[in-house]
Amino acid sequence: MKPSGERSMNQIHLIIYPLFILSLGLTTACGKENSKVTEIGSPEGEVSIIAWPGYIERGETDKAYDWVTGFEKTTGCKVNVKTAATSDEMIALMNEGGYDLVTASGDASLRLVASGKVQEVNIDLVPSWKSVDPRLQNAAWHTVEGQHYGVPYQWGPNVLMYNTKIFKTAPTSWTVVFEEQKLPDGKSNKGRVQAFDGPIYIADAAVFLKQAKPELGITDPYELDEKQYGAVIELLKKQRQLVPKYWHDAMVQVDDFKKGNLAASSTWPFQVNMLVGEKQSVGSVIPKEGATGWADTTMLHKDSKHVNCAYKWLEHSISPKVQGDLASWFGSVPSVPSACKGNVLLGESGCNTNGFDNFEKISFWRTPVANCSGGRKCVPYKKWAADFISIIGNR
């Protein structure tokens, strides 16, 4: 049990996140005239959503997983989905415009708020809001100065997926993807591991080094000073020699693992579920060093042309049935705890299996900034992005 005076990392983030908006140096939506919707009118006939792969299903892959068809019939709102593979892609699409909603992770959500691309959500118009997990209702990655800029959708960890034909026993450390070594089959891991194709993956390396090299003093993988950051980048440069291909398309990674020559990779539970469902030889684990993760929020574009349909989707998205079905499909955790019981697809133990009790163990994605906690100077996301491109390009 923690001493009463000690705050958890997530509690600390709730305190310092509002300062993040100012540190971005952008014009914010906060303080402007409040233009949030006050009532829901007639449906406009459609709604366009930017979403992670697997987040919005209409039964095309598996008929059992469909939370779109019924919504369309009930509301008259046709759902148009644009999938995005990274948070940066989501931000680019939101900047482009023409979309109503986005399922943004924590490394994108506050950037969208700070740039004024999303509008405040009137939670009084989302009747099921009261059923949202209290750990998420006021989460700082969508709440600024008491205003909510989205509705929590799902959350979960980035796991280590491994080939069970190679690893008869689950690996216990991220070292299998970060450092060259012989695997249980007697062969090197070089050319047989993958890593996520996104600057935020730098935090995964920081999570590993936090334990592997405690002398670096890393306490938060998103708040790295120059020395800590330099060590993380060196690790990633060495890893580059092991990685033949970085993944960003979930379905492409599924196909890559089907070929059978890959040994391990960071991944989402979604790919693990897909592969296990196809009876492929894979397993997954959260290693001893811990893991990064995502807590995703459905956010409303400031220029949405289908606000009424969007609000109907916001309510639909947190219904227990949708939440439970999605958690079963994606391997994630519902933002609505009541979804953990009575869902045929998820099962009674599904939430525990997917990590409901691991909330405090996950370092949730967020955008690194220069002015971090304790008055420290840290390396901002802009440099993360530039350096990660160089690493992938082997420069």
Side-chain angles (χ1 to χ4, degrees), residues 327-377:
S328 172
W329 175 250
F330 202 86
S332 50
V333 182
S335 67
V336 176
S338 61
C340 294
K341 300 296 180 183
N343 186 285
V344 175
L345 297 174
L346 182 60
E348 292 303 299
S349 61
C351 281
N352 288 334
T353 299
N354 291 356
F356 185 86
D357 295 325
N358 290 334
F359 190 84
E360 291 293 341
K361 299 178 183 178
I362 299 172
S363 297
F364 289 106
W365 280 352
R366 73 180 196 277
T367 305
V369 296
N371 299 317
C372 48
S373 61
R376 299 168 59 234
K377 290 296 182 182

Side-chain angles (χ1 to χ4, degrees), residues 32-349:
K32 293 182 179 179
E33 182 181 352
N34 195 330
S35 58
K36 68 180 179 181
V37 177
T38 57
E39 62 181 359
I40 299 177
S42 300
E44 301 90 349
E46 64 179 301
V47 61
S48 296
I49 309 173
I50 303 167
W52 293 105
Y55 253 17
I56 300 178
E57 293 290 313
R58 59 167 69 247
E60 294 172 333
T61 306
D62 186 325
K63 292 182 179 179
Y65 295 92
D66 181 358
W67 45 93
V68 172
T69 303
F71 171 81
E72 291 179 331
K73 290 180 179 179
T74 301
T75 65
C77 301
K78 179 184 177 182
V79 177
N80 303 306
V81 180
K82 171 66 175 178
T83 58
T86 67
S87 290
D88 286 349
E89 185 179 348
M90 286 186 171
I91 288 178
L93 289 169
M94 288 291 280
N95 287 336
E96 180 182 306
Y99 299 96
D100 302 297
L101 298 167
V102 60
T103 60
S105 294
D107 60 327
S109 53
L110 288 185
R111 281 192 279 166
L112 290 170
V113 174
S115 63
K117 290 298 179 183
V118 291
Q119 60 180 278
E120 181 186 358
V121 169
N122 187 343
I123 60 174
D124 292 335
L125 300 181
V126 185
S128 295
W129 176 268
K130 60 184 178 295
S131 68
V132 171
D133 192 326
R135 297 177 297 183
L136 298 171
Q137 285 188 359
N138 296 302
W141 47 86
H142 68 79
T143 309
V144 179
E145 296 180 3
Q147 298 177 348
H148 299 284
Y149 286 87
V151 174
Y153 195 42
Q154 295 270 298
W155 62 273
N158 295 311
V159 298
L160 173 61
M161 179 164 62
Y162 60 93
N163 187 323
T164 56
K165 290 183 177 179
I166 298 172
F167 294 94
K168 303 301 182 183
T169 302
T172 60
S173 171
W174 287 107
T175 186
V176 298
V177 297
F178 282 120
E179 298 178 352
E180 185 171 1
Q181 60 191 264
K182 281 189 177 181
L183 300 180
D185 61 1
K187 301 176 183 177
S188 171
N189 60 344
K190 188 173 184 178
R192 303 168 70 197
V193 297
Q194 287 188 345
F196 181 57
D197 180 6
I200 203 66
Y201 182 70
I202 290 174
D204 288 58
V207 166
F208 171 68
L209 285 184
K210 179 181 177 181
Q211 185 175 100
K213 292 189 175 182
E215 64 272 18
L216 289 171
I218 296 174
T219 58
D220 185 322
Y222 305 98
E223 296 189 355
L224 304 173
D225 61 29
E226 289 289 350
K227 181 179 178 180
Q228 295 166 341
Y229 181 77
V232 171
I233 292 299
E234 282 305 307
L235 175 64
L236 290 168
K237 287 180 178 178
K238 291 179 180 177
Q239 184 198 43
R240 179 66 184 89
Q241 307 313 309
L242 307 178
V243 178
K245 177 182 179 181
Y246 289 80
W247 74 271
H248 68 269
D249 186 309
M251 298 310 297
V252 171
Q253 190 187 39
V254 167
D255 289 338
D256 288 342
F257 262 81
K258 284 182 182 179
K259 296 172 185 176
N261 60 319
L262 287 175
S265 175
S266 62
T267 194
W268 302 328
F270 174 66
Q271 289 96 303
V272 178
N273 277 7
M274 290 288 291
L275 288 162
V276 171
E278 296 183 25
K279 303 188 184 309
Q280 296 294 313
S281 302
V282 301
S284 66
V285 66
I286 295 180
K288 62 183 180 182
E289 297 91 356
T292 60
W294 29 269
D296 295 341
T297 305
T298 307
M299 310 183 84
L300 179 60
H301 199 291
K302 71 178 182 67
D303 297 323
S304 169
K305 290 181 171 55
H306 311 103
V307 173
N308 299 318
C309 279
Y311 265 88
K312 288 183 177 296
W313 179 265
L314 289 175
E315 170 64 16
H316 175 69
S317 72
I318 53 173
S319 65
K321 174 72 169 133
V322 172
Q323 285 283 306
D325 288 359
L326 173 53
S328 172
W329 175 250
F330 202 86
S332 50
V333 182
S335 67
V336 176
S338 61
C340 294
K341 300 296 180 183
N343 186 285
V344 175
L345 297 174
L346 182 60
E348 292 303 299
S349 61

